[in-house]
Amino acid sequence: MRLIPAIVRDSRSGAVLTLAYMNDESLAKTRESGETWFWSRSRNELWHKGATSGNTQRVIHIAEDCDGDALVVTVEPNGPACHNGTTSCFRNVPELPLERLMAVLRARHELRPSDSYSAYLFTEGLDKILKKIGEEATEVVIAAKGTSRERLVSELADLVFHLSVLMVNEGVEWRDVEAELEARIWSAAAQPPLSKRQC
C-alpha cells in the first residue's frame, strides 16, 4: 500500500498544523467529502480527522509535489489539529503577523475590554471605523509625497491595522482578499496583450 505524506496547513494563518499520511482511499475520501481523511499507521486503518473529537478540517485546496509523492493540504480547521489539544502538532511554529493581529482583534471584538483602542472602535461602530480609515489613507498619501520611508511604512501599518478592524467588524478574512487578488491575477494573465491602439 502506497502512503503519501500530507502536510496540513491552516488556510488563514498559513501555519503548519500536522504531518499525516494518506493512501489512495483516504485521498479519494478527502476529495469526495471535503474533509480530511488519513491512514493511521498505528491503528492500521482509515481515520476521519475529527470524527470523535469534532475537530474536523474543511479542505480548501490540495497540492501535489512535482513527483506526485507528497501533498500540501490547505484546510479550515474546526478546532485544534493535535490530539493534545494544541492548534498545531508542531511546537513553536511562528504565526503570520496579520493572522496574529486578526486573532487579537477578534478577541477585542468579542470581549470589549475597556482599555482597548480597537474595542473602542468596535463599540463606536462602523462610521467611526470608516472615518479612521479615511484619515489613515490620507496620512499614507501625505507620507508617500515627501517624507521618509520609515514614516511611510508607519502610516501603511496604521492603515492596515484599521482595515483589519473593519474586516473583523464585517466578518471578512484576509484569505477572502487574497482569493480575490488571486482571481484577478489569473484573469489578467488570461487577457490578450493590449494593442498600441488600445493603449
Side-chain angles (χ1 to χ4, degrees):
M1 176 177 57
R2 182 180 74 130
L3 289 181
I4 309 169
I7 302 164
V8 182
R9 68 172 191 151
D10 191 311
S11 64
R12 294 192 301 186
S13 68
V16 175
L17 301 178
T18 192
L19 171 64
Y21 290 86
M22 291 184 174
N23 60 7
D24 291 336
E25 185 178 2
S26 64
L27 179 56
K29 282 184 171 289
T30 296
R31 293 187 189 280
E32 291 166 8
S33 68
E35 294 185 349
T36 52
W37 284 74
F38 304 109
W39 179 261
S40 171
R41 294 177 298 163
S42 59
R43 299 192 304 269
N44 202 36
E45 64 182 12
L46 284 174
W47 161 43
H48 178 201
K49 170 63 180 167
T52 55
S53 66
N55 299 326
T56 54
Q57 297 171 338
R58 186 171 73 87
V59 176
I60 304 298
H61 185 262
I62 300 175
E64 297 183 16
D65 78 339
C66 56
D67 296 321
D69 56 8
L71 302 169
V72 176
V73 184
T74 303
V75 303
E76 187 175 275
N78 182 33
C82 185
H83 70 283
N84 290 325
T86 54
T87 299
S88 171
C89 293
F90 295 94
R91 298 181 180 90
N92 303 319
V93 176
E95 192 175 35
L96 297 178
L98 278 178
E99 184 52 34
R100 285 206 307 273
L101 171 61
M102 294 294 278
V104 170
L105 291 176
R106 290 185 202 106
R108 297 291 190 268
H109 185 268
E110 181 178 354
L111 301 174
R112 307 293 174 95
S114 59
D115 59 347
S116 164
Y117 171 65
S118 52
Y120 159 76
L121 290 176
F122 289 130
T123 300
E124 287 294 303
L126 181 61
D127 287 346
K128 181 67 172 181
I129 296 170
L130 296 177
K131 181 174 183 290
K132 287 301 299 180
I133 288 174
E135 292 172 1
E136 297 303 338
T138 301
E139 292 293 330
V140 167
V141 172
I142 293 170
K145 287 293 288 182
T147 57
S148 67
R149 180 180 184 278
E150 290 74 17
R151 172 71 187 280
L152 176 59
V153 169
S154 176
E155 296 300 344
L156 285 168
D158 286 345
L159 179 57
V160 169
F161 171 83
H162 287 89
L163 286 172
S164 298
V165 170
L166 173 65
M167 290 165 67
V168 169
N169 194 70
E170 300 301 306
V172 177
E173 299 288 348
W174 278 108
R175 69 173 181 274
D176 300 325
V177 178
E178 291 168 358
E180 175 63 22
L181 290 172
E182 183 74 11
R184 292 184 186 186
I185 291 169
W186 284 109
S187 176
Q191 296 297 318
L194 294 173
S195 67
K196 290 183 179 179
R197 178 175 295 180
Q198 289 173 310
C199 292

